Amino acid sequence: MMLQFLHHIAWTILLFHGMFSTVPPLTLPSDQAAAPHAPSAARGAPSRGPGKWALVAYVFVSHMGVSMTSLTQSMPSVVGCIVPLVVSGVALAASGYLVWGVVVATVKKAS
């Protein structure tokens, strides 16, 4: 349950950033060298780039994946406990990485 609590915090941050934020879509560090600034007309307007909707899709897919692994807990072997922990840990690490990118993008916009 502790992992689910952390998942829901990360998923909420990613979902709200993907749907309602005016921060430009997340880009890789190599992409920022080619286009370091967003056009001035786009600043302040909600961005509808693929990076934003990719976050929403990630939240949906990871939520379903982590939730579905709980079905393996009815297995009589030790696999029923290990599979949900591994899948949840990997998804939480990926979510944490994405949340860190959202925080960095938001701080850059604010400064």
Side-chain angles (χ1 to χ4, degrees), residues 58-98:
Y58 169 77
V59 169
F60 178 76
V61 170
S62 65
H63 193 288
M64 294 304 292
V66 169
S67 298
M68 290 297 173
T69 60
S70 67
L71 296 174
T72 63
Q73 290 179 352
S74 63
M75 297 174 71
S77 66
V78 75
V79 174
C81 291
I82 293 176
V83 170
L85 285 174
V86 170
V87 170
S88 187
V90 168
L92 190 57
S95 296
Y97 179 75
L98 291 172

Side-chain angles (χ1 to χ4, degrees), residues 17 21-26 45 47 52 102 105-106 109:
H17 181 78
S21 178
T22 59
V23 176
L26 300 177
S47 177
K52 296 250 190 203
V102 165
T106 305
K109 183 184 182 218

